[in-house]
Amino acid sequence: MTDVAIFMGSISDKEAMLPAKKVLDELGISSTLTVTSAHRTPDRTRELVRKLENQGTQVFICAAGLAAHLAGAVAAQTEKPVLGVPLNASSLGGMDALLSTVQMPPGFPVATLALGSVGAKNAAWLAAQILALQDPALRQKIAEARDAMRQSVEKAASELEEDSKDTPG
C-alpha cells in the first residue's frame, strides 16, 4: 500500500520533488514517485489515480511547471486531498504555475504550497499531518521531528551567542 503518491509532470521535476520523498521516508510513510502529465498522458494520469486509490493511497502530491494543470487534473479524478507544488519552469519565475495550481473551481480544491523544493518538503509535511489525523503514532513522530528542529535552532543560537562573546568588539 502507498499512503502518498507523488506525481511530477516531467522527469526534469525530479530534483525539486525528491525532498518530499525524503521527508515521507524519514517519517515512515509509504510513498511512490512517478511522472505523469495532465496534457501529454491524461489517460495514464486518470488510470494512476484510480489504481492508487484502490490500493489505499490517501493523499496525492502533484508538481508541475508552466501551465501546471496536473494537480487540477488529479483533483478532478479523486475526492482525496491533492497538494499542489508549483515549479519554476518558465521565464515567469513560477508565477504561471503558482496561479494555475491555486486557482481551482469550487468543489475541486488543491492545497497549494510554495514553489519548488521548499513547497515539496511542506507538501510532504502536510500529507503527514493529514494522515496523522487518524494515526496517533505518526502524530507523535511529527511532534518529535518538530522538537528536533526547535532544538537545532536553539543549539545554533546558543553557539552563535557564545562565539560572539569571544569576539573582540
Side-chain angles (χ1 to χ4, degrees):
M1 182 178 96
T2 298
D3 291 316
V4 179
I6 304 169
F7 292 171
M8 303 173 296
S10 170
I11 192 64
S12 63
D13 303 333
K14 181 180 174 185
E15 288 307 310
M17 295 311 295
L18 283 176
K21 178 84 169 110
K22 182 179 180 200
V23 167
L24 295 169
D25 289 348
E26 288 172 356
L27 290 170
I29 297 170
S30 63
S31 64
T32 187
L33 181 69
T34 193
V35 176
T36 190
S37 170
H39 303 112
R40 293 182 298 264
T41 60
D43 293 337
R44 173 178 164 70
T45 301
R46 185 173 32 262
E47 290 166 14
L48 277 169
V49 170
R50 286 189 183 129
K51 175 183 150 198
L52 289 165
E53 272 192 327
N54 288 336
Q55 294 174 355
T57 296
Q58 295 299 307
V59 180
F60 292 87
I61 297 173
C62 301
L66 301 171
H69 292 147
L70 182 57
V74 171
Q77 300 298 320
T78 185
E79 289 78 40
K80 304 288 184 178
V82 177
L83 314 180
V85 180
L87 300 175
N88 181 2
S90 76
S91 61
L92 297 175
M95 185 59 72
D96 48 349
L98 174 62
L99 293 174
S100 292
T101 306
V102 77
Q103 292 286 58
M104 292 298 300
F108 298 88
V110 171
T112 306
L113 288 297
L115 287 164
S117 62
V118 170
K121 288 177 191 174
N122 274 337
W125 283 106
L126 183 54
Q129 288 177 295
I130 291 167
L131 295 171
L133 291 171
Q134 302 299 320
D135 185 342
L138 179 56
R139 199 165 35 251
Q140 181 62 35
K141 283 183 187 178
I142 293 168
E144 289 168 2
R146 284 184 169 190
D147 188 54
M149 290 179 213
R150 180 190 55 76
Q151 289 177 25
S152 175
V153 170
E154 289 175 357
K155 180 180 180 208
S158 178
E159 289 171 358
L160 179 63
E161 292 164 5
E162 277 300 311
D163 289 347
S164 66
K165 288 179 186 176
D166 298 335
T167 305

